[in-house]
Amino acid sequence: MTGQDSDEASVPGDGEELRFSRSGAVSGFLSCVPVALGVGGYGLIFGVIAREAGLSVTTAVLMSATVLAGAAQLIAVGLWDWPIPAVAVIGTTFVVNLRYLLMGASLRQWFTRLSSRQAYVSLFFMADENWALTIEDLREGTGRGAFLLGSGLAIWVFWVLATAIGAVAGGRIANPETYGLGFVLTAIFLALLVGFWDGRTSLAPWALAAVAAVTVETILPGRWYILAGGVAACLIEVIQDGR
Protein backbone atom coordinates (compact mmCIF):
# COMPACT_ATOMS: atom_id res chain seq x y z
CA MET A 1 0.00 0.00 0.00
CA THR A 2 1.39 3.40 -0.95
CA GLY A 3 1.35 6.42 1.27
CA GLN A 4 -1.43 7.88 -0.85
CA ASP A 5 -3.57 4.79 -0.33
CA SER A 6 -3.10 4.77 3.43
CA ASP A 7 -6.27 5.28 5.43
CA GLU A 8 -4.78 8.22 7.24
CA ALA A 9 -2.88 9.69 4.32
CA SER A 10 -3.17 13.42 3.84
CA VAL A 11 -3.75 14.45 0.23
CA PRO A 12 -2.49 17.92 -0.56
CA GLY A 13 -4.85 20.07 -2.55
CA ASP A 14 -4.89 23.48 -4.10
CA GLY A 15 -5.11 25.43 -0.87
CA GLU A 16 -7.46 22.91 0.75
CA GLU A 17 -6.36 19.72 2.46
CA LEU A 18 -8.36 16.62 1.51
CA ARG A 19 -7.99 13.56 3.71
CA PHE A 20 -9.21 10.04 2.89
CA SER A 21 -9.54 8.81 6.46
CA ARG A 22 -11.51 6.28 8.43
CA SER A 23 -12.95 9.08 10.55
CA GLY A 24 -14.22 10.80 7.41
CA ALA A 25 -15.92 7.60 6.28
CA VAL A 26 -17.50 7.13 9.71
CA SER A 27 -18.75 10.72 9.67
CA GLY A 28 -20.27 10.14 6.25
CA PHE A 29 -21.92 6.92 7.40
CA LEU A 30 -23.45 8.47 10.53
CA SER A 31 -24.55 11.62 8.70
CA CYS A 32 -26.33 9.54 6.09
CA VAL A 33 -28.13 7.11 8.39
CA PRO A 34 -31.34 9.22 8.59
CA VAL A 35 -31.42 9.48 4.80
CA ALA A 36 -30.51 5.81 4.42
CA LEU A 37 -33.50 4.87 6.58
CA GLY A 38 -35.71 6.61 4.02
CA VAL A 39 -33.89 4.85 1.20
CA GLY A 40 -34.62 1.61 3.04
CA GLY A 41 -38.33 2.34 2.69
CA TYR A 42 -37.76 2.74 -1.01
CA GLY A 43 -35.85 -0.57 -1.00
CA LEU A 44 -38.86 -2.30 0.52
CA ILE A 45 -40.93 -1.18 -2.46
CA PHE A 46 -38.31 -2.41 -4.89
CA GLY A 47 -38.19 -5.80 -3.18
CA VAL A 48 -41.96 -6.19 -3.42
CA ILE A 49 -42.08 -5.09 -7.07
CA ALA A 50 -39.12 -7.31 -7.98
CA ARG A 51 -40.93 -10.35 -6.60
CA GLU A 52 -44.10 -9.40 -8.47
CA ALA A 53 -41.99 -9.19 -11.67
CA GLY A 54 -40.83 -12.77 -11.13
CA LEU A 55 -37.35 -12.24 -9.69
CA SER A 56 -36.22 -14.58 -6.93
CA VAL A 57 -35.20 -13.19 -3.55
CA THR A 58 -31.55 -13.95 -4.37
CA THR A 59 -31.69 -12.20 -7.74
CA ALA A 60 -33.37 -9.12 -6.28
CA VAL A 61 -30.82 -8.83 -3.48
CA LEU A 62 -27.89 -9.36 -5.86
CA MET A 63 -29.25 -6.65 -8.16
CA SER A 64 -29.44 -4.17 -5.28
CA ALA A 65 -25.98 -5.10 -4.03
CA THR A 66 -24.27 -4.71 -7.40
CA VAL A 67 -26.30 -2.01 -9.18
CA LEU A 68 -27.26 0.36 -6.31
CA ALA A 69 -29.47 2.56 -8.47
CA GLY A 70 -33.05 2.68 -7.25
CA ALA A 71 -34.74 4.42 -10.17
CA ALA A 72 -32.90 2.33 -12.77
CA GLN A 73 -33.68 -0.90 -10.90
CA LEU A 74 -37.38 -0.08 -10.66
CA ILE A 75 -37.48 0.65 -14.38
CA ALA A 76 -35.59 -2.55 -15.15
CA VAL A 77 -38.01 -4.76 -13.20
CA GLY A 78 -40.90 -2.87 -14.80
CA LEU A 79 -39.60 -4.02 -18.19
CA TRP A 80 -38.79 -7.52 -16.92
CA ASP A 81 -40.17 -10.30 -19.09
CA TRP A 82 -39.09 -13.59 -20.60
CA PRO A 83 -37.06 -13.56 -22.73
CA ILE A 84 -35.53 -10.54 -21.05
CA PRO A 85 -35.69 -7.48 -23.40
CA ALA A 86 -32.01 -6.71 -22.91
CA VAL A 87 -31.83 -3.79 -25.34
CA ALA A 88 -34.81 -2.03 -23.78
CA VAL A 89 -33.59 -2.63 -20.23
CA ILE A 90 -30.00 -1.53 -20.91
CA GLY A 91 -31.00 1.44 -23.05
CA THR A 92 -33.58 2.78 -20.60
CA THR A 93 -31.40 2.39 -17.53
CA PHE A 94 -28.51 4.03 -19.41
CA VAL A 95 -30.63 7.11 -20.10
CA VAL A 96 -31.92 7.23 -16.53
CA ASN A 97 -28.37 7.07 -15.17
CA LEU A 98 -26.97 9.74 -17.51
CA ARG A 99 -27.38 12.21 -14.66
CA TYR A 100 -24.46 10.50 -12.93
CA LEU A 101 -22.20 12.05 -15.58
CA LEU A 102 -23.10 15.48 -14.23
CA MET A 103 -22.91 14.36 -10.62
CA GLY A 104 -19.51 12.73 -11.09
CA ALA A 105 -18.18 15.77 -12.93
CA SER A 106 -19.23 18.00 -10.02
CA LEU A 107 -16.93 15.99 -7.71
CA ARG A 108 -13.92 16.20 -10.00
CA GLN A 109 -12.42 19.29 -8.36
CA TRP A 110 -12.01 17.28 -5.13
CA PHE A 111 -11.63 13.67 -6.29
CA THR A 112 -8.70 14.35 -8.62
CA ARG A 113 -6.70 14.75 -5.39
CA LEU A 114 -7.46 11.17 -4.35
CA SER A 115 -5.84 7.99 -5.67
CA SER A 116 -7.67 6.18 -8.46
CA ARG A 117 -8.65 3.37 -6.11
CA GLN A 118 -10.06 5.74 -3.52
CA ALA A 119 -11.97 7.74 -6.11
CA TYR A 120 -13.46 4.86 -8.10
CA VAL A 121 -14.43 2.77 -5.06
CA SER A 122 -16.15 5.84 -3.59
CA LEU A 123 -17.96 6.54 -6.87
CA PHE A 124 -19.36 2.99 -6.94
CA PHE A 125 -21.32 3.89 -3.80
CA MET A 126 -22.54 7.24 -5.16
CA ALA A 127 -26.30 7.68 -5.13
CA ASP A 128 -28.39 10.82 -5.48
CA GLU A 129 -28.86 11.24 -1.76
CA ASN A 130 -25.27 10.83 -0.54
CA TRP A 131 -23.92 12.80 -3.51
CA ALA A 132 -25.98 15.77 -2.31
CA LEU A 133 -24.73 15.33 1.26
CA THR A 134 -21.12 14.97 0.06
CA ILE A 135 -21.20 18.09 -2.09
CA GLU A 136 -22.56 20.07 0.85
CA ASP A 137 -19.90 18.63 3.16
CA LEU A 138 -17.01 19.36 0.78
CA ARG A 139 -18.25 22.89 0.09
CA GLU A 140 -18.06 23.55 3.82
CA GLY A 141 -14.32 22.82 3.61
CA THR A 142 -14.27 19.81 5.93
CA GLY A 143 -11.68 18.10 3.71
CA ARG A 144 -13.30 14.69 4.27
CA GLY A 145 -12.45 12.82 1.08
CA ALA A 146 -13.97 9.55 2.36
CA PHE A 147 -17.34 11.11 3.15
CA LEU A 148 -18.90 9.82 -0.09
CA LEU A 149 -17.68 6.28 0.62
CA GLY A 150 -19.01 6.27 4.19
CA SER A 151 -22.37 7.77 3.30
CA GLY A 152 -22.66 5.41 0.35
CA LEU A 153 -22.01 2.40 2.59
CA ALA A 154 -24.88 3.53 4.82
CA ILE A 155 -27.20 3.65 1.81
CA TRP A 156 -25.89 0.32 0.51
CA VAL A 157 -26.50 -1.49 3.82
CA PHE A 158 -30.06 -0.21 4.26
CA TRP A 159 -30.87 -0.61 0.56
CA VAL A 160 -29.76 -4.25 0.39
CA LEU A 161 -31.36 -5.22 3.72
CA ALA A 162 -34.64 -3.52 2.78
CA THR A 163 -34.61 -5.23 -0.60
CA ALA A 164 -34.26 -8.60 1.10
CA ILE A 165 -37.11 -7.85 3.53
CA GLY A 166 -39.35 -6.54 0.75
CA ALA A 167 -38.59 -9.49 -1.50
CA VAL A 168 -39.36 -11.98 1.27
CA ALA A 169 -42.58 -10.14 2.12
CA GLY A 170 -43.35 -10.22 -1.60
CA GLY A 171 -46.97 -10.81 -2.41
CA ARG A 172 -48.12 -10.18 1.16
CA ILE A 173 -48.17 -6.43 0.35
CA ALA A 174 -50.66 -6.07 -2.47
CA ASN A 175 -50.35 -2.29 -2.90
CA PRO A 176 -47.32 -0.40 -1.40
CA GLU A 177 -49.09 2.92 -2.07
CA THR A 178 -51.63 1.99 0.60
CA TYR A 179 -48.91 2.45 3.22
CA GLY A 180 -47.57 5.69 1.72
CA LEU A 181 -44.27 4.06 0.71
CA GLY A 182 -44.48 5.51 -2.79
CA PHE A 183 -43.83 9.03 -1.44
CA VAL A 184 -40.60 8.13 0.38
CA LEU A 185 -38.18 9.06 -2.41
CA THR A 186 -39.97 12.36 -3.14
CA ALA A 187 -39.81 13.28 0.55
CA ILE A 188 -36.07 12.57 0.65
CA PHE A 189 -35.30 14.84 -2.30
CA LEU A 190 -37.47 17.64 -0.92
CA ALA A 191 -35.56 17.47 2.37
CA LEU A 192 -32.21 17.54 0.56
CA LEU A 193 -33.21 20.67 -1.37
CA VAL A 194 -33.28 22.64 1.88
CA GLY A 195 -29.52 22.20 2.29
CA PHE A 196 -28.88 23.44 -1.26
CA TRP A 197 -30.77 26.72 -0.91
CA ASP A 198 -28.26 29.58 -1.26
CA GLY A 199 -30.78 32.38 -1.26
CA ARG A 200 -32.28 34.16 -4.26
CA THR A 201 -29.44 33.02 -6.56
CA SER A 202 -30.81 29.47 -6.32
CA LEU A 203 -34.22 30.50 -7.57
CA ALA A 204 -33.36 30.89 -11.28
CA PRO A 205 -31.58 27.50 -11.73
CA TRP A 206 -34.27 25.67 -9.79
CA ALA A 207 -37.10 27.33 -11.71
CA LEU A 208 -35.54 26.73 -15.13
CA ALA A 209 -34.69 23.14 -14.24
CA ALA A 210 -38.32 22.53 -13.28
CA VAL A 211 -39.64 24.15 -16.47
CA ALA A 212 -37.20 22.21 -18.66
CA ALA A 213 -37.97 18.89 -16.95
CA VAL A 214 -41.74 19.32 -17.16
CA THR A 215 -41.54 20.47 -20.80
CA VAL A 216 -39.33 17.58 -21.91
CA GLU A 217 -41.42 15.08 -19.94
CA THR A 218 -44.50 16.11 -21.94
CA ILE A 219 -42.65 15.91 -25.28
CA LEU A 220 -40.34 12.92 -25.02
CA PRO A 221 -40.97 9.44 -23.58
CA GLY A 222 -38.65 7.90 -21.01
CA ARG A 223 -36.49 9.76 -18.51
CA TRP A 224 -34.89 12.43 -20.70
CA TYR A 225 -36.47 15.09 -18.47
CA ILE A 226 -33.95 14.29 -15.72
CA LEU A 227 -30.99 15.12 -17.96
CA ALA A 228 -32.79 18.15 -19.43
CA GLY A 229 -33.46 19.63 -15.99
CA GLY A 230 -29.86 19.09 -14.91
CA VAL A 231 -28.38 20.63 -18.06
CA ALA A 232 -30.72 23.64 -17.84
CA ALA A 233 -29.75 24.32 -14.22
CA CYS A 234 -26.04 23.98 -15.07
CA LEU A 235 -26.33 26.50 -17.91
CA ILE A 236 -27.97 29.07 -15.63
CA GLU A 237 -25.27 28.52 -13.00
CA VAL A 238 -22.55 29.05 -15.63
CA ILE A 239 -24.22 32.27 -16.80
CA GLN A 240 -24.63 33.56 -13.23
CA ASP A 241 -21.02 32.75 -12.29
CA GLY A 242 -19.76 34.47 -15.45
CA ARG A 243 -21.30 37.81 -14.51
Side-chain angles (χ1 to χ4, degrees):
M1 180 181 294
T2 67
Q4 190 178 24
D5 291 336
S6 171
D7 281 346
E8 296 299 328
S10 174
V11 183
D14 297 329
E16 178 184 312
E17 186 181 40
L18 192 68
R19 298 174 62 84
F20 196 86
S21 65
R22 186 176 291 105
S23 62
V26 172
S27 295
F29 188 97
L30 295 177
S31 298
C32 195
V33 165
V35 174
L37 283 169
V39 172
Y42 194 45
L44 284 173
I45 298 174
F46 170 73
V48 172
I49 294 176
R51 288 288 286 162
E52 290 179 351
L55 276 70
S56 67
V57 174
T58 301
T59 303
V61 171
L62 282 176
M63 179 184 285
S64 285
T66 56
V67 178
L68 192 59
Q73 288 180 231
L74 283 169
I75 291 172
V77 297
L79 297 171
W80 209 261
D81 200 353
W82 190 260
I84 299 173
V87 174
V89 171
I90 294 173
T92 305
T93 53
F94 175 76
V95 171
V96 170
N97 287 331
L98 278 177
R99 68 188 187 283
Y100 284 108
L101 288 175
L102 302 175
M103 293 161 60
S106 69
L107 291 169
R108 178 178 172 78
Q109 60 181 303
W110 293 285
F111 275 39
T112 50
R113 304 178 211 167
L114 303 178
S115 70
S116 296
R117 188 180 69 176
Q118 291 167 347
Y120 288 121
V121 170
S122 297
L123 289 172
F124 172 79
F125 291 97
M126 183 177 71
D128 301 88
E129 298 83 1
N130 70 317
W131 167 83
L133 292 174
T134 300
I135 286 289
E136 188 176 6
D137 185 77
L138 291 173
R139 283 178 178 174
E140 291 175 352
T142 62
R144 296 188 288 214
F147 191 92
L148 181 70
L149 175 63
S151 56
L153 284 170
I155 287 178
W156 186 88
V157 168
F158 283 92
W159 175 249
V160 174
L161 285 176
T163 297
I165 295 171
V168 170
R172 298 183 181 181
I173 302 177
N175 182 13
E177 300 291 341
T178 303
Y179 302 94
L181 296 177
F183 191 70
V184 169
L185 192 63
T186 303
I188 290 172
F189 282 116
L190 289 175
L192 290 174
L193 276 177
V194 176
F196 275 86
W197 178 254
D198 290 328
R200 295 180 61 184
T201 56
S202 298
L203 190 58
W206 288 20
L208 189 63
V211 171
V214 171
T215 302
V216 172
E217 196 274 338
T218 59
I219 297 173
L220 296 177
R223 305 286 179 171
W224 289 102
Y225 62 88
I226 298 175
L227 186 62
V231 171
C234 288
L235 289 175
I236 290 298
E237 284 282 356
V238 169
I239 293 172
Q240 288 182 337
D241 290 343
R243 290 177 180 174

